[in-house]
Amino acid sequence: MYTFPIFSKSFLSSLDQETLLRFVEYKKKFDKGEELPPESKELLGRFFPELLDFKDYIFKAVVPAMLTNINGGAKLTLPLIDKEILDKQDAIPYFLWGMFYDSWKPTPEEGTTVFFTGFQNGDQKSDVPTIRGENNEKKKIYYSALTPDLFPKYEDKVVGFWEELLDNRNANKPLMGLYLDLYFYLYWDLHLGVERGDIIQDVLDIGRSFMNVIGYLNPLESIVYTSYMDVREKRQSLNDWIKDNISSGSGEEEKKTFVHYWLKNSEQDDNSKYFNQDDIIFECFHNFLAFSQWGNTIYNIIERFINNEANIKTKFETMMNAGNSEEPDDKGFSPLDYFVMELFRWISPNSGSISNIKDNKIFSIPGIYEGINLYNYHTTPHEATSDYEIHWTDPGDFNPDRYKEENVPTSDEITEEKCKQIGFVQCPFHKADFNVDDGRNAQVTNSGFGTVYNVTEGKTYPVIDYAGYAPFGFGYRRCPGELFTVFVIKEFLKKVWNDGNQIQFKELDEPSGGYEQLPLGPRAVLPDKYGFETY
């Protein structure tokens, strides 16, 4: 799901092959608990002088990052990613595992996320503690908390967040620092229903530290090291706090949290093998990564409104002035839905879907050095696929109406018959309904491409199931938070407009010390230079 450029070329070019091989040899000894040779101190001190006393971090994070290889993949013609060769299991750069587990390596028996779980074929054949399920049950349980029919339950929280951020008292101030100050209050309110005064400091600290790591990402930077180790130090405190705040009740307030639906829908039958309580705790933590792109998206929207890039702001005003911005068409989408979808295609804040390549190449010199496995990954590009000319006649234009075209199917239209029309002898994924057990008459189901969507009280809530719309990924790997994220951004734009279009964004004067640099998403550290004014 993510791509991670790691080191600068200047650093890599400073390492000759012999030096890199020595780092690898020291890592192997360290992993086995063997004593490092005396000469290692000179080499480590030369390259990592500030980290010399932190060998765990050097050999569990820095060296794996040096050995990480991320291959760029081809643009897709259909929204399908091979579920065997391009594996989702443990599909995150290895050097980040130390933030998730004490062991510095994947330990799914302690809890895991659908985003790191491969597509297992059958319950009994799986060799991992928590399985995805042959019908993608793990994702369907995750998605049960984010279906569009639930948005009214979350609406007051999301609207209140934007109301507070864009309040007049924040006019002419750098906006994104204020965004980060408020974001984690919304985050925990949505997940657990915890009010801001009841969030302990460790929980707030770990959120900011996590953002620092994925924003800056280079493990040699001091802010990454200190933040990484802060996450490790406070993660158990976070886990304990989440566990203490998970409520099994069924009151109206509980129904306004993600955890309520994860609990209810993992309890029925034997679904805990897909989504147990440790997984629920882990998802609450991992969503730091999954939801981190909201900030980068808002920043990019503001920037494009200020510059009126591709007439985006003008088109927004025209749409809102038409008076029908929230009236759905036959596909189930409103003009504002299409506008936000096109913003995501245009901005593409998530650059690609990352896969773990099982057959890693060996870093070695034949007959001299056997080496170790490279940490080998593959990314299926989002932006390049969205811009692929075989999908659109006008890929370079900002055109929200493109999704209305008959050749652009929704997920409920990718049926067995449609798959055969494409040329398949059968659907890549057979339709399988997951009946929720949280009091709703609802099913979470899937298209022939594996894309998950829901039907509640007989009403279908599809997504655009077309490779040319790629910002949220493809098929069974599609981001289950897609429509909720679209909802969050829609509420932001409605706040901007519903004040009589009085909110106007602008670039602020640069202070003498420069703009503050903020981590707003994976590999996205950006200057806090935009604000707003009211008229």
Side-chain angles (χ1 to χ4, degrees):
M1 185 175 179
Y2 312 99
T3 52
F4 295 91
I6 310 300
F7 290 114
S8 66
K9 290 183 179 179
S10 60
F11 175 79
L12 290 176
S13 64
S14 69
L15 298 176
D16 56 37
Q17 190 175 64
E18 180 183 355
T19 300
L20 190 55
L21 289 174
R22 288 171 68 190
F23 279 136
V24 170
E25 185 62 30
Y26 296 158
K27 173 176 169 50
K28 291 176 68 176
K29 289 181 177 294
F30 187 84
D31 289 345
K32 293 177 181 178
E34 299 176 2
E35 185 175 351
L36 299 181
E39 62 269 20
S40 65
K41 186 173 183 179
E42 184 279 327
L43 184 66
L44 297 176
R46 178 155 41 104
F47 284 96
F48 315 124
E50 296 180 1
L51 300 175
L52 193 56
D53 294 329
F54 309 103
K55 292 186 176 63
D56 266 351
Y57 183 75
I58 290 176
F59 291 114
K60 302 295 187 181
V62 176
V63 175
M66 294 163 57
L67 297 172
T68 294
N69 181 41
I70 300 180
N71 305 287
K75 301 184 287 283
L76 296 188
T77 55
L78 288 171
L80 291 167
I81 296 178
D82 190 291
K83 62 178 183 284
E84 296 176 359
I85 296 175
L86 300 180
D87 195 3
K88 190 60 178 171
Q89 187 67 38
D90 304 334
I92 187 172
Y94 199 91
F95 76 96
L96 294 176
W97 284 117
M99 288 202 296
F100 295 99
Y101 299 111
D102 288 344
S103 62
W104 300 83
K105 62 184 179 181
T107 317
E109 58 268 24
E110 297 178 7
T112 189
T113 169
V114 64
F115 295 95
F116 299 159
T117 305
F119 202 101
Q120 306 300 327
N121 291 319
D123 300 343
Q124 305 306 319
K125 297 179 182 179
S126 173
D127 59 355
V128 296
T130 305
I131 61 178
R132 195 174 186 117
E134 60 183 332
N135 292 313
N136 212 0
E137 284 87 349
K138 190 175 185 70
K139 173 166 280 189
K140 289 174 179 176
I141 294 173
Y142 182 101
Y143 186 59
S144 71
L146 292 109
T147 58
D149 59 287
L150 293 178
F151 294 170
K153 294 189 178 297
Y154 305 136
E155 184 174 10
D156 287 348
K157 298 179 180 185
V158 174
V159 170
F161 171 76
W162 296 125
E163 292 279 355
E164 186 172 2
L165 180 65
L166 297 174
D167 188 86
N168 285 341
R169 68 177 181 271
N170 292 329
N172 299 301
K173 297 178 181 178
L175 192 60
M176 298 314 295
L178 297 169
Y179 168 89
L180 286 178
D181 289 340
L182 297 174
Y183 165 74
F184 289 106
Y185 298 139
L186 173 64
Y187 182 97
W188 290 116
D189 197 5
L190 288 169
H191 283 77
L192 293 167
V194 180
E195 296 183 0
R196 64 181 63 179
D198 295 323
I199 303 174
I200 63 174
Q201 192 60 46
D202 277 0
V203 171
L204 296 174
D205 290 345
I206 199 173
R208 295 299 289 261
S209 291
F210 195 97
M211 291 292 290
N212 285 338
V213 174
I214 65 172
Y216 286 91
L217 209 57
N218 185 339
L220 292 181
E221 294 192 48
S222 61
I223 190 172
V224 174
Y225 165 70
T226 56
S227 297
Y228 194 115
M229 299 308 288
D230 189 56
V231 171
R232 285 185 59 81
E233 178 185 347
K234 295 174 179 174
R235 189 183 58 248
Q236 188 58 52
S237 175
L238 171 70
N239 287 354
D240 292 342
W241 180 82
I242 293 172
K243 188 174 183 178
D244 289 343
N245 282 280
I246 289 178
S247 172
S248 59
S250 297
E252 287 306 309
E253 291 307 308
E254 284 87 358
K255 292 178 181 178
K256 297 177 182 178
T257 68
F258 299 161
V259 162
H260 171 80
Y261 300 96
W262 292 339
L263 273 174
K264 295 300 180 185
N265 294 310
S266 61
E267 290 172 349
Q268 64 168 317
D269 301 327
D270 193 22
N271 286 332
S272 62
K273 64 177 174 281
Y274 308 121
F275 214 103
N276 60 41
Q277 181 159 308
D278 288 335
D279 295 338
I280 291 174
I281 293 171
F282 196 94
E283 291 289 8
C284 287
F285 174 43
H286 166 267
N287 275 351
F288 283 157
L289 184 56
F291 286 9
S292 66
Q293 297 173 60
W294 289 3
N296 188 21
T297 300
I298 292 298
Y299 187 94
N300 275 277
I301 291 172
I302 291 172
E303 190 167 67
R304 282 152 178 79
F305 269 40
I306 291 172
N307 300 326
N308 198 22
E309 179 182 300
N311 291 316
I312 288 175
K313 185 171 184 291
T314 301
K315 292 180 179 180
F316 172 69
E317 293 171 349
T318 300
M319 174 193 64
M320 297 303 282
N321 277 320
N324 65 342
S325 63
E326 296 195 74
E327 294 179 10
D329 61 9
D330 292 341
K331 285 189 173 184
F333 301 106
S334 68
L336 186 54
D337 288 321
Y338 288 130
F339 184 85
V340 173
M341 289 157 57
E342 184 69 348
L343 279 174
F344 275 102
R345 190 192 74 88
W346 191 263
I347 295 168
S348 203
N350 177 4
S351 59
S353 298
I354 189 168
S355 302
N356 192 355
I357 300 177
K358 293 179 180 179
D359 297 324
N360 286 347
K361 295 179 180 178
I362 300 297
F363 184 88
S364 62
I365 300 175
I368 300 175
Y369 183 78
E370 294 305 320
I372 66 170
N373 286 347
L374 283 176
Y375 301 105
N376 225 16
Y377 304 92
H378 177 281
T379 57
T380 304
H382 291 175
E383 184 176 8
T385 301
S386 286
D387 290 343
Y388 200 5
E389 64 273 10
I390 70 168
H391 297 307
W392 311 109
T393 58
D394 58 348
D397 294 342
F398 186 87
N399 177 18
D401 290 337
R402 68 176 70 251
Y403 308 106
K404 300 177 182 179
E405 299 297 327
E406 289 185 7
N407 68 304
V408 181
T410 53
S411 47
D412 57 316
E413 295 174 328
I414 305 299
T415 61
E416 191 85 24
E417 180 182 0
K418 182 68 172 179
C419 288
K420 289 180 179 178
Q421 289 176 2
I422 293 171
F424 297 123
V425 297
Q426 62 180 2
C427 283
F429 293 83
H430 295 293
K431 183 178 174 66
D433 292 346
F434 178 91
N435 294 307
V436 305
D437 195 33
D438 54 33
R440 292 178 290 163
N441 176 19
Q443 301 80 40
V444 181
T445 188
N446 61 274
S447 77
F449 294 148
T451 304
V452 168
Y453 65 101
N454 76 296
V455 180
T456 301
E457 297 292 345
K459 181 177 180 180
T460 301
Y461 297 89
V463 296
I464 297 296
D465 209 356
Y466 186 62
Y469 181 63
F472 294 95
F474 313 95
Y476 90 96
R477 297 270 295 270
R478 187 85 166 244
C479 175
E482 171 183 350
L483 291 182
F484 184 75
T485 297
V486 169
F487 159 69
V488 169
I489 302 304
K490 282 171 58 179
E491 293 303 321
F492 167 73
L493 293 174
K494 285 159 64 176
K495 169 59 184 172
V496 171
W497 182 259
N498 287 343
D499 278 358
N501 206 25
Q502 293 176 341
I503 291 178
Q504 299 290 332
F505 297 108
K506 66 176 185 177
E507 184 170 338
L508 302 172
D509 293 335
E510 186 171 6
S512 57
Y515 298 113
E516 183 179 6
Q517 302 293 312
L518 296 175
L520 296 176
R523 200 61 179 177
V525 178
L526 301 166
D528 194 6
K529 63 180 182 178
Y530 298 132
F532 70 92
E533 54 191 357
T534 58
Y535 293 96

